[in-house]
Amino acid sequence: MTERQDSPGSRLRRLLDRQMVTLPGAFNALTAIQIERAGFEALYISGAGLSAARGLPDLGLLSLTEVVSDAATISRAVTIPALMDADTGFGSALNVMRTVEQCEAAGLAGMQLEDQELPKRCGHLPGKVLVSTSEMADKLRAACLARRDPDFLIVARTDARAVEGMEGAVKRALAYIEAGADALFPEALESAEEFRFFAERMAKEGVKVPLVANMTEFGKTPYLSAGEFEALGYRLVLFPVSALRVAAKAVEEFLHDLKRVGSQKDRLSQMQTRRELYDLLRYEDYERQSRLLEKHHEERHDDTSDR
Ligand SMILES: C[C@](O)(C(=O)O)[C@H](CC(=O)O)C(=O)O
């Protein structure tokens, strides 16, 4: 019981019971620490973000081992719960069971599965192909069976809006709830009205699980604030690639400048200082620990030389 209450999944569920939760996407542990320091109570581990950080496009190219290894590094760097983008689950329903086991072992609060075929695409791009509703439902059932912590959150994303229209998205969402999904993520809706329509249809069907909105940039979804999504009936709002885009742009501009000018002097005000970076990394704590170890070593050494 204690374990259940303290698990990352139960912490995320408790947050969701209380309020709408905004999840910025982390693409490495440093960004995750920044997300926590900025006061966010949960974070998202974006597949697009992890892929980009490894120099790859978001086409489902990373292996389970690579994604879980990055996700574990991220989730261990913070105390807030992390929800991981597991794309299509890394294979069949059987693979999905292993994915869940590894995500739980990595300390994640939950994971998101989507109903695309491989190679999967960013939900906001054309050319998506969906697996059958029953294949996705099998994966969700397998995910629920595999979890050891009943609070580990299984989010079902449907990419149906672009392929089968809003009615298709509603139909699939209902089947995914039936299969055991804990939250629904209708991907790439194109207007506030569509978000409202989806939420109202779920309510009408008696579906009470949290709904996820993906507020990614340069996609199909218009720019709505977390508060606006909340008013439309959404409990989790993702900003999956925003921090990466901001960081990548800043680095690009800086490097062009450095190449041109040959100095970084005029850009210092845009840089995190040494002190600020060390503060994020708790440098002092490690130094203190190192001094303590040194002291222990010296004491032991004195002891033995006394004999
Ligand atoms: C949510 C998403 O799957 C991600 O990997 O973060 C992407 C985000 C993006 O490409 O903007 C998505 O498919 O929407």
Side-chain angles (χ1 to χ4, degrees), residues 44 46-48 58 85 122-124 157 187 214 216 240-241 245:
Y44 183 65
S46 154
D58 185 21
D85 178 0
C122 159
H124 295 254
R157 161 172 149 178
E187 171 65 318
N214 175 13
T216 196
V241 198
R245 291 194 224 278

Side-chain angles (χ1 to χ4, degrees), residues 11-31:
R11 279 188 281 128
L12 181 57
R13 283 178 193 257
R14 277 205 300 276
L15 279 178
L16 283 169
D17 287 345
R18 274 207 331 259
Q19 72 211 33
M20 180 268 301
V21 185
T22 301
L23 296 96
F27 55 98
N28 61 22
L30 182 60
T31 323

Side-chain angles (χ1 to χ4, degrees), residues 44-51 58 85 87 112 114 116 120-125 157 159 185 187-188 214 216-217 219 238-241 245:
Y44 183 65
I45 300 177
S46 154
L50 293 189
S51 304
D58 185 21
D85 178 0
D87 285 347
Q112 162 213 315
E114 70 194 36
Q116 286 197 57
K120 55 131 304 155
R121 301 220 148 57
C122 159
H124 295 254
L125 292 184
R157 161 172 149 178
D159 283 72
F185 173 173
E187 171 65 318
N214 175 13
T216 196
E217 297 83 15
L238 313 178
F239 291 84
V241 198
R245 291 194 224 278

Side-chain angles (χ1 to χ4, degrees), residues 287-300:
E287 278 287 26
R288 208 171 300 122
Q289 191 63 48
S290 169
R291 281 196 296 271
L292 245 142
L293 288 172
E294 235 165 73
K295 211 169 136 227
H296 286 165
H297 174 81
E298 276 161 20
E299 281 168 7
R300 237 189 6 259

